[in-house]
Amino acid sequence: MVALQNFVLLGLPAVIAGAALERRAPKEPFGLYAYGDGIGGAPIFTSGSQAYIGNATLLEDIEAAPVTFKATVNEELVGSPNTTANAGAPTWSNLTLLIPETTSESHVVEFTNVAPGTGMSTNGFVFYGDFLFHQSNEGKVESLWYAVPLEKDGIWSLEWNPTGGEADGQILLTLKVTAPSKGNAKEQ
């Protein structure tokens, strides 16, 4: 009996650790939240093209709204406005998240409704637990998210692959489906 108890107790952390690394898509629809130095769960939002994190109302654009995502079988993330978090109803919907490939000179994360150009990727988005990663065509799983602050406090540009030069105030990020436990999305 003691041997069985030790087996169960010693095996439990491995089961818990293994579950955290299990590849799975979150329940839909879901939001994505950025966590980094001084950013404690800021939501991803857009006004129809560029991806931002922070408070959408601070952008002062009637098209700006937090994004609600659905994952496709092609490992794409398709976003529509979360109109419950916004007074208006933006005209954009069903936009696909787009990141520059690691060889691209661009770093800006965007949303699109057309096929991606050369050096851009709309698929390969995978979740391990609540964390969002990107898997390249070569099978490399990466999390190269970062934020660059805009002139307005509380809004950052969401970018990918910080190599090749640093922007002022660049903050490395983790993107999760887990909303912040506190009401303050800027700092926790």
Side-chain angles (χ1 to χ4, degrees), residues 75-77 97 99 121-126 132-134 145:
E75 296 178 337
E76 296 174 327
L77 295 179
L97 188 67
I99 62 169
S121 178
T122 57
N123 61 1
F125 294 105
V126 295
L132 177 63
F133 294 88
H134 182 262
W145 307 106

Side-chain angles (χ1 to χ4, degrees), residues 10 47 58 70 72 80 91 103 114 164 176 185:
L10 292 174
S47 58
L58 297 176
K70 291 184 179 183
T72 71
S80 293
T91 58
T103 57
V114 297
K176 298 174 60 176

Side-chain angles (χ1 to χ4, degrees), residues 4-170:
L4 179 59
Q5 241 178 351
N6 287 339
F7 174 75
V8 170
L9 291 176
L10 292 174
L12 188 58
V15 170
I16 292 170
L21 297 176
E22 181 180 324
R23 185 172 167 174
R24 62 182 169 86
K27 293 180 182 174
E28 295 178 353
F30 58 89
L32 286 172
Y33 303 89
Y35 292 86
D37 188 21
I39 302 174
I44 291 181
F45 74 92
T46 188
S47 58
S49 57
Q50 185 174 344
Y52 301 97
I53 59 171
N55 184 338
T57 60
L58 297 176
L59 194 60
E60 298 177 2
D61 183 337
I62 60 170
E63 291 292 316
V67 181
T68 300
F69 291 94
K70 291 184 179 183
T72 71
V73 294
N74 298 330
E75 296 178 337
E76 296 174 327
L77 295 179
V78 177
S80 293
N82 178 349
T83 55
T84 60
N86 194 3
T91 58
W92 58 269
S93 67
N94 297 319
L95 298 178
T96 304
L97 188 67
L98 171 83
I99 62 169
E101 293 178 353
T102 54
T103 57
S104 175
E105 290 184 21
S106 173
H107 298 283
V108 177
V109 176
E110 300 177 38
F111 288 88
T112 186
N113 60 1
V114 297
T118 303
M120 305 300 272
S121 178
T122 57
N123 61 1
F125 294 105
V126 295
F127 288 88
Y128 286 89
D130 288 342
F131 297 89
L132 177 63
F133 294 88
H134 182 262
Q135 185 170 5
S136 69
N137 292 334
E138 296 80 31
K140 191 173 183 181
V141 177
E142 300 173 307
S143 179
L144 301 175
W145 307 106
Y146 72 100
V148 175
L150 299 184
E151 291 180 14
K152 294 185 180 207
D153 284 343
I155 304 175
W156 296 264
S157 172
L158 179 59
E159 304 199 7
W160 176 260
N161 190 21
T163 59
E166 281 193 28
D168 288 339
Q170 168 177 312

